[in-house]
Amino acid sequence: MRVTYILYVLISSVLVNAFEPISTTIVGAGVTLGLAAVGKKMYNHLHESCESKWVAFNSTGLDVALDQKLFGQHVASRVIQKAVTGFMNNKNPKKSLVLSLHGWTGTGKNLVSQLIAENIYKEGMASSFVHQFVSTAHFPHLSQIENYKSQLQQWIKGNVTNCPRSMFIFDEMDKMHPGLIDCIKPYLDYYEYLDGVSYRQAIFIFLSNAGGEYITQVALDFWKAGRDREEIKLQHLEPALTLSVFNSKQSGLWHTSLIDKNLVDFFIPFLPLEYRHVLLCGMAEMSAKGLEPDQDVVDQMARELVYFPKSDKIFSVNGCKTIGGKLDYYT
């Protein structure tokens, strides 16, 4: 702020001294308006704003990030890349983008949200235009649900008014009180404007463990049939996954109008991770920590994790979630 102020004063001094006394009065209003524009431009250059310097989509960056950091999720990776790229390249979308990510813990749902944010906002998850809600932290009390609805609506309206290209992430949807999320339905719908505000450039992402059992069963069935998991397609999972989430009383999306009115663009399944995927996570984590990836260390760590079902031990119970802490122990 001090730098901006000093520059503003210097420019003011130069401009005022450049005019003769008699003409300064005539053009004073124009100079004031010009200075205001210059000041705003300087502020936006130094401080995060909704302009392209701070908010710009990097399609190649997202593609590379998904390929190098998200493991074992060929279905999710493909859908997310196409959905986000198509939406961001559409200059006149008819509605906001709504993605619902489902799967067991540690399969990459939070990671994907982070990768999307990092390839849209210069500040990534730290951007003032990325808003994350955790059900157990932000909406813990059923008795306060009406207050939560009002606050959530005000928060979304205020932030989209400030920056149309805002992102809202709702974590732990399976722990959210049913009915709460319906309060944001108008912002996800096909309205061009609501009270003078357009929500069509906003992105809404729901993260949930709901549907994890069904997704795991499909992956297990493919394994038992001797089929490659890469053969699993979105159409094998999405219809039944949508129905499962809609009818789950343990889900914040239970009988929600968001599903009933087809406002969720994609229900994206995250498959349970196998031993080989845990190894990839471990090698990537070592690199992220600035360590030389060591196959033996990662293999030792991976063997200590718990896998299911008990008879076959195919999938990691916690996916890649605990790998960071485990590697600290082994390195």
Side-chain angles (χ1 to χ4, degrees):
M1 285 296 294
R2 181 172 178 79
V3 173
T4 303
Y5 176 75
I6 293 172
L7 290 171
Y8 183 89
V9 171
L10 289 173
I11 291 173
S12 299
S13 176
V14 170
L15 287 174
V16 170
N17 292 330
F19 292 106
E20 295 179 5
I22 190 169
S23 60
T24 301
T25 303
I26 299 173
V27 299
V31 172
T32 301
L33 291 173
L35 287 174
V38 171
K40 181 179 180 182
K41 194 170 184 179
M42 288 181 175
Y43 183 88
N44 289 342
H45 182 76
L46 298 170
H47 301 268
E48 187 182 25
S49 69
C50 203
E51 296 183 356
S52 58
K53 178 182 184 297
W54 300 94
V55 182
F57 180 53
N58 183 351
S59 177
T60 301
L62 179 60
D63 192 30
V64 171
L66 290 170
D67 181 62
Q68 295 182 354
K69 297 181 180 181
L70 182 68
F71 305 111
Q73 303 299 349
H74 66 284
V75 176
S77 182
R78 187 178 303 116
V79 175
I80 288 161
Q81 174 64 21
K82 289 186 176 181
V84 175
T85 299
F87 178 75
M88 294 299 295
N89 289 340
N90 187 347
K91 296 182 179 180
N92 186 31
K94 299 301 181 184
K95 63 180 290 295
S96 55
L97 176 64
V98 185
L99 305 176
S100 195
L101 316 186
H102 297 267
W104 287 135
T105 183
T107 50
K109 301 185 298 296
N110 276 288
L111 173 62
V112 161
S113 300
Q114 176 186 328
L115 297 181
I116 294 174
E118 289 175 349
N119 286 283
I120 295 178
Y121 306 95
K122 185 176 180 180
E123 298 294 305
M125 290 295 291
S127 171
S128 57
F129 308 127
V130 176
H131 313 279
Q132 186 166 24
F133 302 93
V134 180
S135 294
T136 53
H138 294 99
F139 317 114
H141 306 296
L142 180 59
S143 61
Q144 296 295 313
I145 191 169
E146 294 305 318
N147 288 333
Y148 296 151
K149 287 181 180 180
S150 176
Q151 292 167 3
L152 189 53
Q153 288 176 329
Q154 292 174 22
W155 182 262
I156 291 175
K157 181 178 180 180
N159 282 286
V160 173
T161 299
N162 181 42
C163 181
R165 185 68 82 189
S166 291
M167 179 186 293
F168 301 91
I169 303 169
F170 293 85
D171 200 358
E172 297 185 346
M173 282 298 298
D174 47 303
K175 297 180 177 65
M176 180 179 284
H177 302 297
L180 172 57
I181 201 64
D182 286 82
C183 77
I184 72 170
K185 175 187 173 292
Y187 313 131
L188 277 58
D189 218 322
Y190 289 83
Y191 302 114
E192 186 171 2
Y193 289 97
L194 279 176
D195 297 325
V197 180
S198 174
Y199 297 87
R200 291 182 169 185
Q201 292 186 56
I203 299 174
F204 294 83
I205 302 177
F206 304 132
L207 312 180
S208 177
N209 289 348
E213 290 184 5
Y214 172 73
I215 296 169
T216 297
Q217 188 58 54
V218 171
L220 187 60
D221 289 344
F222 266 71
W223 182 83
K224 289 181 176 179
R227 301 177 64 183
D228 194 324
R229 71 186 270 137
E230 278 66 34
E231 294 181 49
I232 300 175
K233 308 292 184 185
L234 182 63
Q235 56 264 35
H236 290 136
L237 292 161
E238 190 177 32
L241 174 60
T242 304
L243 189 61
S244 172
V245 172
F246 184 74
N247 289 322
S248 174
K249 292 184 177 181
Q250 282 70 50
S251 169
L253 293 171
W254 178 68
H255 285 195
T256 176
S257 59
L258 307 189
I259 297 178
D260 192 42
K261 300 299 182 181
N262 299 307
L263 297 179
V264 178
D265 296 297
F266 293 97
F267 288 86
I268 304 176
F270 281 69
L271 302 172
L273 299 181
E274 299 174 11
Y275 177 81
R276 58 190 169 116
H277 303 124
V278 172
L279 292 178
L280 292 173
C281 288
M283 298 293 278
E285 183 67 21
M286 289 193 76
S287 293
K289 289 176 178 290
L291 302 172
E292 184 71 27
D294 189 319
Q295 182 73 38
D296 293 334
V297 170
V298 172
D299 185 69
Q300 184 182 5
M301 177 275 300
R303 290 182 184 279
E304 295 296 321
L305 300 181
V306 180
Y307 296 84
F308 72 98
K310 290 183 178 180
S311 57
D312 301 300
K313 296 183 178 181
I314 307 166
F315 306 122
S316 170
V317 170
N318 292 313
C320 288
K321 189 169 187 176
T322 61
I323 281 180
K326 294 285 187 182
L327 280 175
D328 289 339
Y329 174 80
Y330 285 101
T331 56

